[in-house]
Amino acid sequence: MTQAVMARRDGDTFQARLFWDFASRLLDENGPIVKVGFEMGPKSFDDIWVEYDEYRGPPNHDGVPIRREYLQCKWHSTPDSFGYLQLINPEFINANTYSFLERARKAQTEFAPDGVGIRFKLLTNWRIERNDPLREMVSTRSGAIRLDRLYGSKTDNSKAGAVRKAWREYLGMDEDELRILVGTLAFGEVTDSLQDLRDRLDMTFLAMGLQRVPVNESAFFYDDLIYQWMGQKRLEFDRKSFLKACRQEGILVTSIPPPRVYGVKSFEHAFDHLENRCEDVLDFVPIFDERYIRSDADWSEKLYPELKKFLVDAASTNNRLRLALDVHVSLAFVAGSILNIKSGREIELEQRVLAKSIWSADDLPLDPKWPHLVYSVTEIDLSRPEIAIAVGITHNITVDVLTFVKQSLPRVGKILNCIPSTGASARFVVCGHHAFNLAEALVKKVIEVRGGGSRVLKHLFIAAPNTLTFFTGQRQVALGPVRLYEFDFEGTRDGSYCPSLTLPISHSSNASESQST
């Protein structure tokens, strides 16, 4: 009985914290969110709804802005997964009669008959089963179902066809009706724990001028406050009414405007859209097909010049910048190379490691007990002039890099392996100051072992928090020519590495790339 009570309370907490994540952004006068609702809307999608400015909502699969998102929040006390068949099984949502898709169909028919401008999204801490066909059809950028993959085949004799057939027959609809329905659906895998969500809110409340709750306090009064408002039938808030409610509760502690945050994204977070809270956002998502760039030439011909202009413009009016980088590792490094250590700017970075934090080179005092990197050199053929650098912070990449170098980089003679003294882990890097020191030590070690002079090409492979990658990029001039690589984490290509950018950008670097590979 106790376990069941805690599960229900955790579910309520999950919903409440997601509400506050959206609602607090109403305090940003320049933000795209204009209304937020709680426990109202179409059945099974009534947990939270978010209304956006007409022209600034997140785009759907056709690029049309979403005007309103209806969110269903499902928190589970034990980990599990689901697939396309669970969506037509009522038990999946603890129901006896109507399945998730049936309820989605009813909501779509009533609220979005043409399928335009509305999205119905399931936010859950369960994952889509890795081997289920649905996983390949859900966009990692937006969580929406990719119609090009669902309708990639014309018959039912395929994985995509089996999904369409099962859904179509269960719901008793034709293909055109099904296409409209699935075009409104999205799924978000919330990997944050309840504590992670609380930590995220702490930084959001700081930015928006709401009262913060000390981390050592067990009670988090915001969890209960929204349910108190619900009991008073205050279920819908625009900017004016939310500001008034916060003032009445005495939780609006400052009128100081939030810091300016500049966002860059090449993929989309499950529910934390950068446009909701950033002064300006550089959106590279359309250039990628999920995690893979559509055209290799775009790395140097499109992404680099646009990123450089964006960051230089931001830095021209701000001595201290805060960056939110939801980007590939190559772009985090390039951002650092643009705002390098001689730029004269102090940089704060939003870092997602388990929970979101604000990291900078001076965020915490130096602690001699912080763990360090351990270096080793793998010699392949010392007559070869180039060097590879394998930085495995979050996970050990030594074997993957060695395999790739032997198969694809005939000019690399040795590999500098860099691994944490305490073992690879997402928790290894403590803070921004620690990341700054690690980047500084890493570059010094590369200079020490590179041999052949500063113009030797370095092949850089990184699995690390973006803050450390950014700080390493700030020292690109000291490193000399660097070629960056992206790894096929999803395993949908070759499960290995592919080159992205070579810095500095020049015609000679492109020629060198063709010779080396």
Side-chain angles (χ1 to χ4, degrees):
M1 181 65 179
T2 301
Q3 187 174 2
V5 171
M6 289 304 301
R8 287 196 298 271
R9 287 179 62 89
D10 285 349
D12 291 342
T13 298
F14 179 58
Q15 180 183 348
R17 292 182 185 180
L18 289 179
F19 165 82
W20 283 103
D21 190 66
F22 288 108
S24 61
R25 304 186 196 286
L26 287 169
L27 299 177
D28 179 4
E29 294 184 357
N30 297 314
I33 296 178
V34 296
K35 284 185 180 180
V36 177
F38 187 80
E39 284 291 344
M40 59 184 303
K43 188 173 179 60
S44 288
F45 293 94
D46 56 354
D47 287 346
I48 301 168
W49 58 258
V50 182
E51 186 172 310
Y52 296 93
D53 176 89
E54 183 178 1
Y55 301 105
R56 292 194 291 162
N60 69 1
H61 55 278
D62 291 325
V64 178
I66 298 294
R67 186 65 195 274
R68 184 175 284 198
E69 276 189 306
Y70 291 98
L71 308 176
Q72 180 67 15
C73 308
K74 286 292 183 184
W75 178 263
H76 301 273
S77 56
T78 56
D80 208 335
S81 57
F82 66 95
Y84 77 97
L85 289 176
Q86 279 70 39
L87 299 182
I88 56 177
N89 183 351
E91 292 183 2
F92 173 63
I93 55 173
N94 298 321
N96 295 320
T97 306
Y98 298 107
S99 68
F100 173 85
L101 272 190
E102 283 180 292
R103 296 188 177 188
R105 168 61 168 165
K106 187 176 186 303
Q108 176 262 311
T109 302
E110 181 178 354
F111 288 82
D114 59 359
V116 177
I118 301 293
R119 177 174 288 165
F120 303 100
K121 191 168 188 176
L122 173 66
L123 286 175
T124 177
N125 59 339
W126 276 12
R127 301 180 65 87
I128 300 176
E129 174 64 43
R130 185 171 186 82
N131 297 321
D132 191 273
L134 181 63
R135 187 173 183 85
E136 298 179 1
M137 299 171 191
V138 173
S139 170
T140 56
R141 286 160 40 184
S142 64
I145 293 180
R146 293 189 53 170
L147 298 181
D148 60 329
R149 293 189 178 178
L150 180 61
Y151 288 91
S153 62
K154 295 182 179 180
T155 70
D156 295 338
N157 298 322
S158 65
K159 290 183 179 180
V163 175
R164 297 198 309 270
K165 182 175 185 293
W167 290 356
R168 190 178 62 241
E169 292 183 351
Y170 178 82
L171 295 171
M173 59 173 55
D174 60 32
E175 286 284 10
D176 291 337
E177 292 172 321
L178 180 63
R179 184 185 286 268
I180 293 175
L181 169 61
V182 297
T184 66
L185 300 181
F187 302 88
E189 296 179 356
V190 181
T191 57
D192 296 335
S193 68
L194 294 177
Q195 183 60 49
D196 293 338
L197 290 173
R198 175 173 169 171
D199 292 341
R200 243 168 59 83
L201 286 176
D202 185 61
M203 300 310 301
T204 302
F205 291 167
L206 172 64
M208 297 302 164
L210 288 173
Q211 181 178 330
R212 301 165 69 189
V213 180
V215 69
N216 62 297
E217 293 186 9
S218 299
F220 189 66
F221 69 85
Y222 287 97
D223 293 339
D224 180 63
L225 180 55
I226 180 54
Y227 290 101
Q228 295 297 325
W229 286 350
M230 184 177 72
Q232 300 163 5
K233 301 188 183 304
R234 290 194 283 178
L235 304 176
E236 178 181 325
F237 300 90
D238 58 14
R239 186 165 289 121
K240 183 178 180 180
S241 61
F242 185 71
L243 181 64
K244 180 180 179 181
C246 291
R247 282 176 174 159
Q248 288 176 338
E249 298 291 342
I251 59 175
L252 196 69
V253 297
T254 177
S255 60
I256 299 175
R260 292 184 175 184
V261 184
Y262 294 86
V264 184
K265 64 178 182 178
S266 56
F267 49 82
E268 194 81 72
H269 191 271
F271 59 87
D272 182 19
H273 304 304
L274 296 187
E275 288 84 355
N276 291 351
R277 55 188 176 79
C278 292
E279 179 81 9
D280 198 4
V281 176
L282 180 58
D283 183 7
F284 286 140
V285 173
I287 299 176
F288 291 84
D289 180 7
E290 301 303 310
R291 301 281 281 194
Y292 309 102
I293 197 162
R294 298 180 186 275
S295 171
D296 290 337
D298 283 344
W299 284 112
S300 57
E301 295 177 4
K302 187 173 181 63
L303 274 71
Y304 182 85
E306 291 189 12
L307 180 60
K308 183 175 182 178
K309 182 180 186 306
F310 180 81
L311 294 178
V312 169
D313 288 348
S316 65
T317 56
N318 298 275
N319 289 323
R320 190 176 183 100
L321 291 175
R322 178 175 295 179
L323 302 179
L325 302 178
D326 284 353
V327 296
H328 292 64
V329 63
S330 300
L331 295 176
F333 185 94
V334 169
S337 73
I338 295 168
L339 298 174
N340 61 48
I341 55 176
K342 294 185 178 181
S343 67
R345 297 294 183 269
E346 299 177 74
I347 310 296
E348 296 178 341
L349 296 110
E350 291 188 359
Q351 179 59 62
R352 285 197 181 101
V353 176
L354 303 182
K356 188 179 76 175
S357 303
I358 305 301
W359 285 8
S360 66
D362 58 358
D363 53 2
L364 290 179
L366 175 66
D367 187 345
K369 295 180 181 179
W370 285 340
H372 58 277
L373 290 175
V374 175
Y375 305 99
S376 65
V377 175
T378 300
E379 296 181 350
I380 300 173
D381 184 343
L382 297 184
S383 67
R384 302 175 182 177
E386 296 175 356
I387 180 175
I389 306 155
V391 185
I393 303 297
T394 54
H395 56 278
N396 195 323
I397 63 174
T398 303
V399 174
D400 288 330
V401 172
L402 177 61
T403 300
F404 179 78
V405 167
K406 287 184 175 180
Q407 292 176 350
S408 306
L409 299 179
R411 291 172 59 84
V412 170
K414 56 187 173 183
I415 304 173
L416 173 62
N417 301 300
C418 316
I419 61 175
S421 58
T422 54
S425 168
R427 297 179 181 272
F428 170 72
V429 184
V430 176
C431 61
H433 192 171
H434 187 205
F436 185 89
N437 290 355
L438 291 170
E440 191 169 52
L442 169 63
V443 172
K444 287 181 179 179
K445 191 65 178 181
V446 172
I447 294 173
E448 176 187 326
V449 304
R450 67 189 173 192
S454 62
R455 304 316 300 168
V456 169
L457 181 63
K458 273 71 64 178
H459 300 264
L460 185 56
F461 305 81
I462 300 184
N466 271 350
T467 301
L468 190 150
T469 305
F470 177 91
F471 286 147
T472 305
Q474 285 192 304
R475 295 159 173 79
Q476 182 270 314
V477 173
L479 283 173
V482 175
R483 180 163 302 149
L484 302 163
Y485 292 81
E486 294 291 336
F487 187 71
D488 178 20
F489 285 104
E490 298 293 328
T492 58
R493 301 291 174 95
D494 57 4
S496 186
Y497 289 95
C498 60
S500 55
L501 276 158
T502 300
L503 299 177
I505 298 291
S506 67
H507 294 298
S508 60
S509 69
N510 293 334
S512 172
E513 182 170 347
S514 63
Q515 293 171 10
S516 179
T517 57

